[in-house]
């Protein structure tokens, strides 16, 4: 599904990614874990076409997407939920979701009932202004809006940020159901080890712009490993 080969990228002459490699098969959930500043968010921005590559290539389902504009990458089936969620606060929940539906190859005028089934709180808040939702509800809206475009690959950046633990676990459960039912592929940047344990199958630990370790999610039970790679 997704192949990242030896990519390098950065900001204003500072290299953040340095020969990064990644393979992600369709229908799998892969987590990216590491200290702040190691290149995890930069990787997602590169995949989405928001940051140009200095070297390397990115391919989706065998077709190169590096060098494409973000809207072209979205049209090929990639959706991105960034940190901070970036919902449209002045619009209602339903209006946000309807905007997400416009990203489909054949745009829908109505929000699919399946989205409200996966995220029932959004059905209850359908006519509520999105900016008035709680942080956890806004995160569910951001994810649902991305899913409204029927992507093949979902990029998630720190979905647990600023959300109470019980809601984090609920989001993990709902996303897992979406993956199971739709075959969605997910690349997840996350510092919350509990969420990774619940959702991911494999984890890459990122250090200094490269993959330092490629682990089954069960290895996150190793406290010494976590201290070695995550301690400041």
């Amino acid at each position: 599904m997704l192949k990242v080969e030896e990519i390098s990228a950065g900001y204003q002459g500072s290299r953040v990614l340095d020969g990064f490699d990644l393979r992600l098969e369709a229908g799998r959930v892969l987590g990216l874990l590491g200290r702040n500043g190691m290149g995890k968010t930069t990787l997602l921005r590169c995949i989405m076409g928001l940051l140009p590559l200095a070297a390397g290539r990115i391919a989706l389902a065998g077709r190169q997407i590096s060098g494409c504009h973000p809207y072209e990458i979205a049209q090929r089936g990639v959706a991105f939920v960034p940190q901070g969620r970036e919902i449209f606060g002045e619009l209602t929940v339903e209006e946000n979701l309807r905007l997400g539906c416009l990203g489909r190859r054949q745009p829908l005028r109505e929000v699919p009932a399946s989205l409200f089934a996966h995220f029932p709180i959004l059905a209850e808040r359908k006519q509520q202004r999105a900016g008035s939702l709680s942080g956890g509800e806004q995160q569910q809206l951001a994810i649902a809006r991305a899913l409204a475009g029927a992507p093949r690959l979902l990029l998630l950046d720190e979905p647990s940020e600023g959300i109470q633990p019980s809601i984090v676990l609920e989001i993990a459960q709902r996303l897992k159901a979406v993956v199971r039912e739709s075959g969605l592929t997910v690349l997840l940047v996350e510092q919350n080890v509990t969420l990774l344990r619940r959702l991911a199958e494999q984890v890459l630990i990122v250090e200094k712009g490269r993959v330092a370790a490629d682990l089954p999610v069960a290895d996150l039970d190793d406290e010494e490993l976590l201290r070695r790679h995550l301690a400041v």
Side-chain angles (χ1 to χ4, degrees):
M1 162 63 80
L2 178 68
K3 184 182 291 187
V4 175
E5 296 181 296
E6 291 291 317
I7 69 167
S8 297
Y11 307 91
Q12 298 178 341
S14 176
R15 182 161 290 189
V16 178
L17 295 175
D18 188 16
F20 195 99
D21 279 303
L22 178 151
R23 304 288 184 277
L24 177 55
E25 297 178 8
R28 307 281 287 182
V29 180
L30 177 65
L32 298 177
L33 182 64
R35 301 179 185 90
N36 290 332
M38 293 294 107
K40 305 181 301 297
T41 294
T42 298
L43 173 66
L44 298 190
R45 289 176 56 81
C46 288
I47 294 170
M48 200 66 222
L50 297 168
L51 184 67
L53 302 183
R57 67 189 298 271
I58 301 171
L60 179 72
R63 297 178 62 191
Q64 184 166 319
I65 59 172
S66 41
C68 293
H69 295 291
Y71 76 87
E72 295 173 313
I73 294 170
Q75 288 173 346
R76 294 188 187 183
V78 182
F80 181 32
V81 180
Q83 278 182 292
R85 301 180 275 274
E86 297 185 7
I87 60 168
F88 297 104
E90 294 303 314
L91 301 182
T92 67
V93 167
E94 184 174 28
E95 287 167 340
N96 270 270
L97 293 174
R98 288 176 67 182
L99 285 174
C101 291
L102 297 178
R104 290 173 174 251
R105 288 179 178 270
Q106 296 182 331
L108 298 177
R109 297 180 65 88
E110 300 297 329
V111 179
S114 60
L115 277 181
F116 290 126
H118 283 300
F119 300 95
I121 191 63
L122 301 182
E124 295 178 25
R125 306 279 193 268
K126 190 159 53 171
Q127 300 306 321
Q128 188 170 325
R129 190 172 61 83
S132 68
L133 300 177
S134 70
E137 290 165 351
Q138 288 187 15
Q139 186 63 73
Q140 291 182 69
L141 174 58
I143 293 170
R145 186 182 64 186
L147 295 175
R152 294 187 289 173
L153 171 64
L154 178 63
L155 309 176
L156 285 175
D157 195 0
E158 301 279 6
S160 74
E161 185 179 44
I163 299 175
Q164 66 187 55
S166 62
I167 302 300
V168 169
L169 296 181
E170 180 182 343
I171 290 172
Q173 180 181 357
R174 298 193 182 285
L175 267 175
K176 198 156 192 171
V178 171
V179 169
R180 184 172 59 248
E181 293 176 19
S182 69
L184 180 69
T185 306
V186 181
L187 182 58
L188 167 67
V189 168
E190 185 53 75
Q191 298 282 43
N192 186 316
V193 174
T194 300
L195 177 57
L196 288 172
R197 288 190 183 112
R198 291 293 183 96
L199 188 55
E201 299 159 289
Q202 198 78 8
V203 176
L204 302 182
I205 295 180
V206 182
E207 290 185 358
K208 297 180 180 178
R210 291 174 174 264
V211 175
D214 183 349
L215 312 166
V217 73
D219 283 7
L220 294 182
D221 292 332
D222 186 337
E223 296 296 333
E224 173 56 31
L225 180 145
L226 293 179
R227 279 195 297 271
R228 186 165 68 249
H229 289 291
L230 300 180
V232 177

